[in-house]
Amino acid sequence: VFWSAQVSTQKIVVLGTGGTIAGKAASAGDNVGYKAAEVGVADLLQGVPGLDKALQGRALVCEQIAQIDSKYMEWEEWRTLALRCQEVLSDPLVTGVVITHGTDTLEETAWFLSAVLDTSKPVVLVSAMRPVCEIQCVMRQREISGQKP
């Protein structure tokens, strides 16, 4: 009798849409003269301290759904995002979805997804009032000075 077991790993899926959180400025400390939606979700996650520990052995899967300033979020982006969320949430190995998003239409996106998604798994939207370059600069300063985030 021959059989093989496939090793399965639980996954958290991060879907990027752009926004201020993915913004970039000419200098790391500039939180005013930045351009939104310049950093892809995979690069955005590179700067998150302690991410490996927080994953607790789960795999992290990143996918860029959109790369826009969230004030430009419209029906097509919401539809694409909802369809992709539902698709990845149907995978039994996916334990949840995190969506990086801008603040301008965060509430509308959250409301829309709560109305159309059929899942008991968590769907978390994250955003920031400052671009990633500013956030990473503050985190690095805290690391150097020994402060906890």
Side-chain angles (χ1 to χ4, degrees):
V1 175
F2 176 80
W3 62 276
S4 66
Q6 184 177 10
V7 177
S8 60
T9 302
Q10 291 183 327
K11 301 181 265 189
I12 295 174
V13 177
V14 181
L15 302 175
T17 65
T20 296
I21 194 168
K24 196 171 191 179
S27 66
D30 186 0
N31 65 348
V32 179
Y34 69 91
K35 184 174 180 191
E38 290 293 302
V39 179
V41 68
D43 291 333
L44 182 67
L45 293 174
Q46 292 296 322
V48 178
L51 183 59
D52 287 336
K53 184 177 179 182
L55 286 170
Q56 299 176 341
R58 292 181 193 95
L60 188 67
V61 178
C62 300
E63 185 177 333
Q64 200 71 48
I65 297 298
Q67 190 69 12
I68 60 172
D69 186 322
S70 73
K71 65 185 173 190
Y72 300 119
M73 262 318 227
E74 293 188 0
W75 166 246
E76 191 56 40
E77 288 81 22
W78 282 314
R79 180 180 176 279
T80 300
L81 182 59
L83 289 171
R84 188 63 183 136
C85 280
Q86 196 65 63
E87 183 179 357
V88 299
L89 289 165
S90 68
D91 180 343
L93 295 177
V94 172
T95 60
V97 171
V98 176
I99 301 167
T100 62
H101 201 286
T103 56
D104 286 344
T105 55
L106 183 69
E107 181 180 3
E108 291 85 350
T109 300
W111 176 85
F112 175 71
L113 293 175
S114 71
V116 300
L117 293 179
D118 182 22
T119 186
S120 61
K121 296 176 184 179
V123 176
V124 179
L125 281 86
V126 296
S127 63
M129 296 297 290
R130 293 182 176 188
V132 68
C133 59
E134 173 68 14
I135 295 166
Q136 288 173 341
C137 180
V138 169
M139 286 191 294
R140 282 191 196 104
Q141 288 171 345
R142 287 182 177 169
E143 275 181 36
I144 291 167
S145 69
Q147 292 178 356
K148 299 208 185 284

